[in-house]
């Protein structure tokens, strides 16, 4: 209990930010939501004014899924029913926001622009599916959720998997990985922000494969899908380089982000060409560039263009998964 006699001030703040539709925003007053900050009366009033519309509710930046995960744990600690009610309302929001084809938009109900796209970007849709799978398993403290949700979540997860399987990109009939976002109607790879062009994603595809590997006794189709993803990651890895920040006094921010030789390192690009598997980059002009150095410094240092996202998946998780199921 803190000084004000509040058992969990973070959970209390989450209740204040929750929208009438059950979802949560990621921003408040133009800044990332910070649940550790005490709100003044004027801010509480402002949150209430947007309560009914809920147009800013989203699954981007872990919004909504993060709160659901936190609130079930807060309920277990405090036994305060309001926290569980809010979490269940959040699950209702996730179930309502799902498209019939199984995908999730980045925002709901605001489907303007790229907010309507099926969004794997920054693991948005996978965060949702992991919450729903936790409800099914009663894992990650979701055992406190009303059992009436189990059937609803089972259907949503099944549709989600169907969407994942339909959106895995094929090159000449061979399965590869996924794009960060897709058109909600055609299921074709789509662009989001100017520098997020249709591509094969070296980051988001990792979370998708991890999610598929959560299922007991994976059938032949899931086995083939996962193997294809792992094969692709092995095929496109960039060996002998690491991605680092370096001082760059001539640049406004005083730094740059570059690939430097390192015999022991391996990295993957964030975006690969849908047909050739060549890494590519883009700045705010939305033009495809072959070299990161062709992108303006602000975007070079402000975005994760390379990373080691699949490393653990390939080297330890996938072999352990194969061993576990005798694949």
């Amino acid at each position: 209990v803190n000084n004000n006699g509040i058992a969990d001030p973070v959970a209390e703040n989450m209740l204040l930010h929750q929208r009438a539709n059950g979802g949560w925003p990621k921003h408040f007053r133009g800044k990332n939501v910070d649940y550790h900050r005490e709100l003044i009366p004027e801010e509480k009033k402002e949150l209430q004014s947007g309560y009914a519309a809920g147009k800013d509710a989203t699954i981007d930046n872990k919004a909504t899924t993060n709160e659901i995960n936190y609130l079930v744990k807060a309920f277990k600690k405090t036994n305060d029913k309001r926290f569980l009610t809010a979490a269940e309302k959040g699950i209702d929001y996730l179930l309502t926001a799902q498209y019939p084809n199984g995908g999730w938009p980045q925002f709901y109900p605001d489907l303007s622009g790229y907010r309507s796209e099926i969004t794997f970007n920054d693991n948005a849709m996978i965060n949702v599916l992991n919450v729903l799978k936790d409800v099914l398993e009663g894992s990650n403290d979701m055992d406190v959720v009303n059992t009436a949700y189990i059937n609803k979540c089972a259907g949503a997860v099944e549709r989600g998997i169907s969407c994942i399987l339909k959106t895995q990109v094929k090159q000449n009939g061979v399965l590869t990985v996924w794009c960060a976002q897709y058109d909600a109607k055609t299921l074709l790879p789509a662009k989001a922000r100017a520098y997020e062009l249709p591509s094969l994603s070296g980051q988001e595809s990792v979370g998708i494969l991890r999610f598929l590997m959560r299922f007991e006794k994976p059938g032949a189709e899931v086995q083939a899908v996962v193997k294809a993803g792992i094969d692709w990651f092995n095929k496109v890895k960039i060996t002998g380089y690491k991605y680092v920040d370096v001082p760059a006094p001539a640049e406004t921010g005083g730094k740059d982000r570059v690939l430097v030789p390192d015999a022991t390192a391996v990295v993957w690009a964030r975006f690969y060409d849908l047909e050739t598997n060549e890494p590519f980059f883009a700045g705010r002009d939305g033009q495809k560039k072959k070299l990161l150095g062709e992108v303006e410094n602000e975007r070079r240092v402000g975005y994760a263009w390379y990373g080691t996202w699949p490393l653990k998946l390939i080297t330890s998780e996938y072999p352990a998964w194969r061993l576990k199921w005798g694949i």
Side-chain angles (χ1 to χ4, degrees):
V1 176
N2 76 352
N3 299 338
N4 302 332
I6 296 169
D8 192 327
V10 168
E12 294 290 349
N13 265 345
M14 287 179 175
L15 298 189
L16 288 168
H17 283 79
Q18 190 175 27
R19 299 327 203 171
N21 58 19
W24 276 269
K26 62 174 178 172
H27 291 142
F28 178 54
R29 292 190 162 186
K31 289 184 182 155
N32 290 339
V33 170
D34 177 9
Y35 293 121
H36 295 276
R37 200 171 62 80
E38 208 172 320
L39 295 164
I40 57 171
E42 183 196 334
E43 289 174 318
K44 290 180 183 178
K45 203 173 162 187
E46 191 177 323
L47 279 170
Q48 282 305 111
S49 72
Y51 175 76
K55 276 197 82 173
D56 54 359
T58 180
I59 57 168
D60 193 29
N61 291 9
K62 296 185 180 168
T64 304
T65 52
N66 170 52
E67 288 83 354
I68 294 167
N69 283 324
Y70 187 94
L71 287 164
V72 290
K73 290 173 171 59
F75 168 69
K76 275 194 163 179
K77 282 180 197 150
T78 63
N79 210 25
D80 188 326
K81 195 77 170 54
R82 294 173 307 144
F83 300 156
L84 179 58
T85 302
E88 289 179 344
K89 207 172 163 188
I91 295 166
D92 284 327
Y93 168 82
L94 298 179
L95 294 169
T96 306
Q98 188 180 28
Y99 287 132
N101 63 19
W104 268 270
Q106 190 187 44
F107 279 72
Y108 178 83
D110 178 6
L111 300 177
S112 62
Y114 65 80
R115 292 179 167 193
S116 68
E117 287 166 2
I118 290 169
T119 305
F120 290 119
N121 195 20
D122 291 331
N123 302 320
M125 177 165 150
I126 293 303
N127 289 337
V128 172
L129 284 167
N130 277 319
V131 164
L132 302 183
K133 180 82 169 103
D134 289 342
V135 174
L136 292 184
E137 294 175 351
S139 57
N140 198 21
D141 294 311
M142 293 292 176
D143 51 318
V144 294
V145 172
N146 190 317
T147 52
Y149 281 92
I150 291 176
N151 270 349
K152 294 181 199 171
C153 290
V157 166
E158 215 168 287
R159 287 190 295 278
I161 292 169
S162 162
C163 180
I164 287 171
L165 300 183
K166 281 184 289 201
T167 51
Q168 190 173 18
V169 177
K170 274 186 177 174
Q171 289 174 343
N172 303 319
V174 178
L175 288 170
T176 62
V177 288
W178 291 265
C179 182
Q181 52 277 315
Y182 291 81
D183 182 280
K185 293 187 174 69
T186 64
L187 293 187
L188 290 171
K191 77 180 278 269
R193 290 173 288 192
Y195 47 90
E196 294 170 330
L197 302 173
S199 59
L200 294 170
S201 169
Q203 182 187 38
E204 281 74 15
S205 301
V206 175
I208 297 170
L209 291 170
R210 274 198 181 121
F211 172 70
L212 292 174
M213 285 163 63
R214 282 189 66 173
F215 289 82
E216 300 282 306
K217 301 180 183 130
E221 187 175 19
V222 168
Q223 287 182 37
V225 162
V226 173
K227 183 183 184 302
I230 299 291
D231 288 348
W232 183 85
F233 273 126
N234 278 317
K235 184 176 165 180
V236 304
K237 69 184 174 190
I238 300 158
T239 53
Y241 288 92
K242 63 179 177 180
Y243 184 47
V244 295
D245 284 349
V246 293
E251 300 291 354
T252 315
K255 70 170 185 177
D256 209 341
R257 198 169 278 173
V258 293
L259 280 186
V260 295
D262 179 339
T264 64
V266 57
V267 293
W268 283 263
R270 178 76 175 263
F271 301 133
Y272 290 85
D273 186 274
L274 286 161
E275 288 163 18
T276 67
N277 293 326
E278 279 183 59
F280 73 84
F281 315 90
R284 293 193 182 274
D285 62 358
Q287 299 303 305
K288 216 168 173 177
K289 314 272 200 299
K290 283 204 170 194
L291 300 171
L292 183 54
E294 296 174 56
V295 172
E296 66 270 21
N297 177 266
E298 178 270 332
R299 276 300 77 201
R300 281 204 303 274
V301 300
Y303 200 73
W305 295 105
Y306 290 99
T308 55
W309 310 289
L311 193 58
K312 198 174 162 207
L313 177 73
I314 291 170
T315 55
S316 59
E317 293 168 27
Y318 178 63
W321 179 75
R322 288 187 63 187
L323 196 64
K324 182 178 181 182
W325 302 113
I327 295 165

